[in-house]
Amino acid sequence: MQTVQKPKAMGKSPRSFKRRKYTKLDKIIFFSLFIVHIACIFAPFHFTWPAFCVAFALYFITGLCISVSYHRNLAHKSFKLPKSMEYFLAYCAAHALQGDPIDWVSTHRCHHQFVDTEKDPHSPIEGFWFSHITWLFDSYNLTKKVCPNYFTDFQKVDRSIFIWFSKHGRPDNVRDLEKQTFYRFIHKTYFLHHILLAILLYQVGGLPFLIWGTCVRIVVLMHVTFMVNSVCHIWGKRRWNTKDLSRNNWLVGLLAFGEGWHNNHHAFEYSARFGLQWWQIDFGWYTIRVLQAIGVAKNVKLPSTIHKQRLFIDY
């Protein structure tokens, strides 16, 4: 019988807010997220069915593209796309307000490299709320984790008003994206695209479209995505013998387009399919299958039977 490696325990005390070194970037990010959360208070007073439908459609498009593009295609190279399709999906994902492709992929690759250790950018070993959201306001330590080779004087980084990413240094684990003009452009003009979309929504449907299509949609999708970092490393079932805290959580899997099958993902990082059982709903995988069927997605990677047998937990 296989020896099961126990996942790391959540024994580290979270850093106190008072003992953190807050930077100007932390304050900008906090203020931006505070505004979109506060705006949601007014959503019930500006509810219309067209606004709700716009919010739902944008939630589905941007959330699905975070999973398919940022995560499976760019971060893990689980499949290949023509550049035009790759850039289109990445541009849609960028409107989720979760970071530009370079920043998002860099942070996620670091998460997998140092999962549930002190070098993990967002592990619950430092507390639930840290893994869920407050890691975003800890750019000083986040930079040391993800960009150690570039961590010199973080206060001397020039920034455009349209740049919004969560690190002060230049990461060295996304050179494949940094070589491409498109991703450098999105990196440098990131926030501008959100402003343009917000203006478009306001012009089309007024305040209801702006509040629901921007604020409500961003806040809901943001917390659903962040549940993968927090909930899926605390609550759920483990099918595979990984060395981390990852769990499969069906509710997050349903809401986050398959991302909630997180133990599956950590066991087989390279796999384009997260919901490995027929009953594990995975909209990201269904999308990739459609792209594969029409000849757009190539070199789609899946876990082998041997790999599954080696990691399967046999109680």
Side-chain angles (χ1 to χ4, degrees), residues 25 29 99-100 103 157 159 163-169 187 190:
L25 178 58
I29 295 175
D100 66 273
D103 181 65
V157 178
R159 294 184 179 278
I163 295 178
W164 182 45
F165 48 93
S166 54
K167 294 182 283 292
H168 291 278
H187 186 70
Y190 180 64

Side-chain angles (χ1 to χ4, degrees), residues 26 28 52 84 88 132 180 224 279 302:
D26 295 331
I28 292 173
F52 177 84
S84 58
F88 173 74
H132 189 76
Q180 302 180 54
V224 166
W279 48 268
L302 295 171

Side-chain angles (χ1 to χ4, degrees), residues 50-121:
F52 177 84
C53 292
V54 166
F56 181 82
L58 289 176
Y59 174 93
F60 193 87
I61 293 170
T62 56
L64 183 64
C65 288
I66 283 286
S67 179
V68 173
S69 172
Y70 273 21
H71 195 185
R72 310 187 202 208
N73 181 228
L74 300 182
H76 293 289
K77 302 182 183 296
S78 299
F79 61 98
K80 291 183 179 180
L81 291 171
K83 281 300 176 182
S84 58
M85 177 62 73
E86 176 187 318
Y87 291 161
F88 173 74
L89 295 180
Y91 187 72
C92 291
H95 286 89
L97 198 66
Q98 295 180 19
D100 66 273
I102 289 176
D103 181 65
W104 198 102
V105 171
S106 169
T107 302
H108 188 72
R109 288 177 179 175
C110 183
H111 165 64
H112 275 271
Q113 184 178 1
F114 303 109
V115 58
D116 292 324
T117 68
E118 292 185 2
K119 292 185 178 182
D120 188 338

Side-chain angles (χ1 to χ4, degrees), residues 82 114 128 165 280 315:
F114 303 109
F128 173 86
F165 48 93
Q280 294 178 333
Y315 289 108

Side-chain angles (χ1 to χ4, degrees), residues 21 124 166 223 306:
K21 184 171 184 176
S166 54
H223 285 288
I306 295 177

Side-chain angles (χ1 to χ4, degrees), residues 156-176:
K156 293 183 179 180
V157 178
D158 294 329
R159 294 184 179 278
S160 160
I161 61 172
F162 297 126
I163 295 178
W164 182 45
F165 48 93
S166 54
K167 294 182 283 292
H168 291 278
R170 178 186 172 192
D172 61 356
N173 61 352
V174 280
R175 289 171 182 162
D176 53 325

